[in-house]
Amino acid sequence: MSGRAVCFGELLLRLTAPGRELLLQNGRLDVHVGGAEANVAVGLASLGHKAAMISRVPDNALGHSAVGYLRRYGVSAEGVSFGDGRMGLYFLSVGAGLRPPSIVYDREGSSFALAGMDDFDWERLLDGAELLHVSGITPALAPRSAQAAIASVEAARSRDMRISFDCNYRAQLWQRWDCDPRSVLCELVDKSEILFGNHRDISLLLEREFSGDGEQRRREAAEAAFGAFPSLQLIASTARHVEDADRHRIAARLDSRDAAFQTEEVVVGGIIDRIGAGDAFAAGVLHGILNGAGHERAVRYGLALACLKHSLPGDASLFTQADIDVFLSGELDVRR
């Protein structure tokens, strides 16, 4: 396996209405540990990579449980510190039929949101790492979080590390404080080699629309992003068509500066939990890139993990290379 991959972001608790219920319909909630960057770390560790998490949690039972979750799935938690504040939360109703999933965030004043760029010893935390993964959720939390996200990529850049950035635009979070999301996101993308985002994300970054449809529009957007951000080398994205809460069609794409590859569309039925599928996709693509598997295989790995994640409750992908191989072979019979 390749060198260590480090993910920087907030560890969260996810509180989910059981079954297909509405939030607090019967007063019970199922609890999972989550967070976009933590999901990528767990996904990479499950695939055999050395993965580490940088974050901050409260020094209480909730914070310690979240750290224990990381360790249980093979992620180094030495970079997770304890501080003032509370545990960040989000509440989920998974949806059913023609009712889509819905999320309520409760993250203000969390230990991570209160932390600033000087609360992290980047030289120590990034020592020996090959790749840093960050998402657009972190800078959306608060001004101090935005400064910390920028500091993390600047520190990684100074060490000649590879930087992976997932746009993960969350309007509900950005609108809570007075900011210019575009300028912050552009500063992060400008320092990244790998971008996870589609033509809508690129439209937000570049303040322009793209003509055409399907693959043509995605390529036009990718070429515009490559022109605007000289460090950017790869753009990975998915296309999802939702028929109802239980049946989606998903394809994946990887654009480089001189080529593009798009997978066939896969029908995903019997969906258990779609949350975290994008993070699973990112973990799969990074798995292929870090192992030198080539662009086509990397995006197929990402698609495989994204589809498989829909079968698993919780935030993160726990699947292995063997699971990816079985998915790509099309084998659905019982493995004995």
Side-chain angles (χ1 to χ4, degrees), residues 39 88 95 97 145 170 180-181 199 216 221 225 240 245 274 303 305 317:
N39 294 342
S145 301
R170 299 290 186 267
D180 176 10
H199 62 282
Q216 177 186 348
R240 179 190 296 268
R274 67 168 283 184
L303 177 65
L305 283 192
S317 166

Side-chain angles (χ1 to χ4, degrees), residues 273-296:
D273 191 339
R274 67 168 283 184
I275 302 301
D279 304 322
F281 173 69
V285 171
L286 292 175
H287 169 56
I289 291 172
L290 290 171
N291 283 351
H295 294 169
E296 179 178 343

Side-chain angles (χ1 to χ4, degrees), residues 3-288:
R4 193 166 61 108
V6 176
C7 301
F8 173 58
E10 183 170 27
L11 273 167
L12 296 165
L13 293 185
R14 177 182 118 179
L15 293 90
T16 308
R20 299 298 182 93
E21 296 180 4
L22 299 173
L23 283 173
L24 300 180
Q25 182 175 328
N26 68 9
R28 293 187 295 113
L29 294 168
D30 297 327
V31 182
H32 297 277
V33 177
E37 301 84 0
N39 294 342
V40 173
V42 170
L44 287 171
S46 298
L47 290 164
H49 293 271
K50 296 176 182 177
M53 187 72 191
I54 301 174
S55 191
R56 177 166 285 201
V57 295
D59 189 6
N60 59 28
L62 300 181
H64 287 276
S65 293
V67 169
Y69 163 84
L70 291 177
R71 290 173 174 156
R72 183 160 66 252
Y73 290 110
V75 177
S76 170
E78 292 181 7
V80 181
S81 59
F82 297 95
D84 296 333
R86 50 179 286 261
M87 195 75 193
L89 309 174
Y90 79 96
F91 299 80
L92 170 69
S93 175
V94 298
L98 298 179
R99 171 168 59 88
S102 63
I103 286 176
V104 176
Y105 291 112
D106 182 17
R107 304 172 71 159
E108 292 183 67
S110 71
S111 298
F112 184 81
L114 295 176
M117 61 182 181
D118 295 329
D119 291 312
F120 302 98
D121 183 353
W122 301 113
E123 184 172 353
R124 177 181 64 84
L125 295 169
L126 298 178
D127 185 46
E130 176 181 349
L131 176 135
L132 172 69
H133 179 75
V134 185
S135 91
I137 294 176
T138 294
L141 296 175
R144 290 171 65 83
S145 301
Q147 293 166 3
I150 293 169
S152 73
V153 298
E154 287 177 342
R157 182 94 174 237
S158 71
R159 302 178 71 88
D160 293 324
M161 290 172 55
R162 307 180 82 170
I163 300 170
S164 163
F165 182 74
D166 191 333
C167 277
N168 265 338
Y169 183 73
R170 299 290 186 267
Q172 285 189 54
L173 296 176
W174 283 106
Q175 68 188 15
R176 292 172 184 263
W177 62 286
D178 184 20
C179 65
D180 176 10
R182 177 185 168 274
S183 65
V184 176
L185 294 172
C186 282
E187 188 168 356
L188 292 164
V189 175
D190 190 49
K191 297 176 175 63
S192 301
E193 174 190 342
I194 304 162
L195 173 67
F196 291 92
N198 58 27
H199 62 282
R200 288 184 293 274
D201 296 305
I202 297 171
S203 290
L204 171 67
L205 295 173
L206 303 184
E207 295 186 299
R208 56 169 288 193
E209 297 298 321
F210 298 100
S211 59
D213 194 18
E215 294 187 37
Q216 177 186 348
R217 180 169 57 186
R218 286 174 178 263
R219 184 60 192 173
E220 181 185 350
E223 289 176 346
F226 288 133
F229 304 108
S231 296
L232 199 59
Q233 299 301 316
L234 295 172
I235 301 173
S237 62
T238 58
R240 179 190 296 268
H241 296 90
V242 178
E243 297 180 9
D244 58 38
D246 296 308
R247 186 179 173 87
H248 298 182
R249 292 178 285 118
I250 304 174
R253 180 182 178 91
L254 188 64
D255 285 87
S256 65
R257 286 185 169 268
D258 56 3
F261 177 78
Q262 182 156 325
T263 71
E264 67 286 351
E265 197 171 57
V266 174
V267 176
V268 180
I271 294 172
I272 302 297
D273 191 339
R274 67 168 283 184
I275 302 301
D279 304 322
F281 173 69
V285 171
L286 292 175
H287 169 56

